[in-house]
Amino acid sequence: EAIYFGCSADSQKAQNLAHDRRVSITVDLPHRTWSDIRGLSLAGRAVEVTDPQELARVGALFVAKFPKLAEFVPTQAGALAIFRVDVEIASVLDYRQGFGAHELIGLSPVHA
């Protein structure tokens, strides 16, 4: 599976990704203490999406989920960069089993 995100094409984030595509993502459930943490830890590489069909499909998904986004997306070409994160490593976090407890998840090969 892939995760998509957008940012300004001239942002620090886009500049950093031009030099090093490695990214890390954590998604967790609300928790009161560190010992209650449960979620996912993901690592992969971010690739700027340039294929017009993929851009159109992802753009439509973003606007469907966040309709107000259409008002804020700059209309000039190149103002917004869309990235796809190809997840290479994933693990399930469950600190209820002990601090730092995790289990690696097997993934199928991702985009080259």
Side-chain angles (χ1 to χ4, degrees):
E1 295 295 320
I3 297 171
Y4 292 90
F5 69 90
C7 62
S8 172
D10 61 357
S11 67
Q12 186 66 53
K13 184 179 293 187
Q15 292 174 36
N16 290 347
L17 289 170
H19 295 296
D20 187 344
R21 298 184 317 128
R22 294 176 299 167
V23 295
S24 181
I25 302 167
T26 300
V27 180
D28 62 348
L29 297 170
H31 55 277
R32 291 181 157 257
T33 68
W34 283 48
S35 61
D36 294 327
I37 292 175
R38 291 180 295 148
L40 293 173
S41 178
L42 310 168
R45 298 188 188 274
V47 178
E48 186 170 1
V49 177
T50 57
D51 176 70
Q53 289 180 325
E54 187 175 8
L55 281 171
R57 183 177 59 80
V58 172
L61 290 171
F62 276 134
V63 172
K65 184 169 177 85
F66 306 106
K68 295 286 268 178
L69 182 64
E71 297 175 26
F72 301 104
V73 175
T75 55
Q76 65 263 30
L80 180 67
I82 301 293
F83 291 88
R84 179 186 67 240
V85 177
D86 295 324
V87 177
E88 298 171 349
I89 299 171
S91 59
V92 175
L93 308 175
D94 189 352
Y95 285 22
R96 297 172 304 172
Q97 306 299 316
F99 183 78
H102 67 281
E103 180 180 339
L104 289 176
I105 300 171
L107 299 175
S108 57
V110 296
H111 301 86

